[in-house]
Amino acid sequence: MITSANGRQVRLVEKLNRQAKARRENGLFVVEGRKEALEAPIPRIEAVYYTEAARDAAEILVKKGLNPEAAREVAPEVFRKMADTQTPQGILALVKIRHSSVEELLKTSGGIPPLFLILEDLQDPGNVGTILRMSEAAGVTGVIVSRNTADIYSPKTVRATMGAIYRVRTAETEDVAATLRELNQNGVQTCAAWLPGSLSYTEVDYRKATAFVIGNEGNGLKQETAEAAGLRIRIPMQGGVESLNAAVAATVLAYEAARQRLLS
């Protein structure tokens, strides 16, 4: 049993919870809670830490194939130091980060026209996590995030994905406009969600390979990004509302594409 709050493993978990840099350097992120830990793919689990109250969950993971030596019991007071939540459930796992390249995402659609979401500089971890969760439900092929988007492996984002973090393929880009040009060259229809857009989102055929670009919550898309997209679309607004929450806008667009594809 781990009883020291100053041990190497405890300090590592604390760093992974707090620092995107530590997550990048170690290639690991933290998932906390019974559901989240039990849904983690066994080959990607580096370690599991649990209290006596959650021993049964750790045993389930071992039965599923986790190396027993990767599961360590922790004293309750030490676990509270490792946990990111106010009311921890007594189990957390360190999971290996899996990033794809844009090129790999283009090859993973299984013959179905791919559907991508591209996030440019979103700052709210809850928005990013909600988009990942929605992407799984709507059949999105992959989510591409700019380097300045909230870290998809931060504890708040991971919780908001409700397990979709394991199943939705992601890629990171240094230059969203360049990625749009690359997708254009590969036959992907790129659509910028942009307030001055000339087309209503319902006027476009999304049954072909498509990518939607969603901009920063406060500033929207950069001018260069919007101009790099093949189409600039808008979601019509009524009343005094100027724009939608980024996660809501992404959901409207992804489900319009899903609707068209289901009817085709």
Side-chain angles (χ1 to χ4, degrees):
M1 181 186 292
I2 297 175
T3 57
S4 171
N6 297 313
R8 180 186 61 82
Q9 295 173 83
V10 176
R11 293 199 305 273
L12 173 61
V13 172
E14 289 182 293
K15 276 189 175 182
L16 293 174
N17 273 329
R18 293 195 313 264
Q19 302 173 8
K21 179 181 178 183
R23 293 190 286 272
R24 289 179 184 274
E25 290 176 348
N26 290 277
L28 297 170
F29 67 101
V30 181
V31 295
E32 188 180 333
R34 295 176 68 92
K35 177 181 182 294
E36 290 78 2
L38 290 173
E39 287 188 3
I42 296 298
R44 291 177 61 190
I45 297 179
E46 183 78 10
V48 170
Y49 300 100
Y50 64 93
T51 64
E52 184 178 2
R55 181 191 297 272
D56 62 319
E59 290 174 346
I60 290 172
L61 289 171
V62 171
K63 287 178 181 177
K64 289 168 65 175
L66 179 70
N67 183 343
E69 294 183 2
R72 297 289 306 274
E73 186 172 350
V74 182
E77 63 275 13
V78 177
F79 191 89
R80 284 192 289 273
K81 185 176 176 65
M82 300 168 78
D84 183 68
T85 57
Q86 293 295 319
T87 55
Q89 296 178 26
I91 187 167
L92 61 81
L94 304 188
V95 180
K96 297 172 186 174
I97 288 173
R98 183 189 68 176
H99 264 316
S100 301
S101 65
V102 174
E103 292 76 14
E104 288 170 333
L105 290 184
L106 284 166
K107 298 175 183 177
T108 58
S109 59
I112 301 170
L115 177 62
F116 300 117
L117 282 174
I118 304 175
L119 312 182
E120 182 179 66
D121 300 355
L122 269 68
Q123 296 302 295
D124 185 339
N127 271 340
V128 176
T130 298
I131 289 171
L132 286 170
R133 182 183 180 189
M134 177 278 298
S135 293
E136 180 179 17
V140 171
T141 307
V143 177
I144 302 168
V145 299
S146 68
R147 189 65 183 264
N148 292 325
T149 290
D151 184 12
I152 63 175
Y153 293 108
S154 74
K156 288 182 179 179
T157 307
V158 169
R159 284 196 293 273
T161 72
M162 296 293 288
I165 189 72
Y166 305 130
R167 299 178 291 272
V168 175
R169 297 186 73 92
T170 61
E172 190 175 271
T173 178
E174 295 280 355
D175 187 334
V176 175
T179 296
L180 288 175
R181 290 189 285 270
E182 178 183 355
L183 292 174
N184 289 333
Q185 291 167 5
N186 280 276
V188 178
Q189 170 181 249
T190 54
C191 305
W194 204 39
L195 286 177
S198 58
L199 288 171
S200 170
Y201 77 103
T202 57
E203 297 179 77
V204 181
D205 182 356
Y206 304 122
R207 292 172 294 179
K208 61 185 77 174
T210 298
F212 294 115
V213 198
I214 307 295
N216 173 271
E217 293 92 342
N219 301 317
L221 290 174
K222 297 174 183 175
Q223 182 83 19
E224 178 190 10
T225 302
E227 291 176 352
L231 298 171
R232 283 159 288 283
I233 60 175
R234 57 184 172 79
I235 300 173
M237 303 288 159
Q238 298 187 41
V241 177
E242 292 185 355
S243 63
L244 296 175
N245 168 276
V248 173
T251 301
V252 169
L253 298 175
Y255 268 91
E256 173 60 17
R259 183 192 70 81
Q260 291 186 15
R261 292 172 179 216
L262 285 170
L263 294 175
S264 63

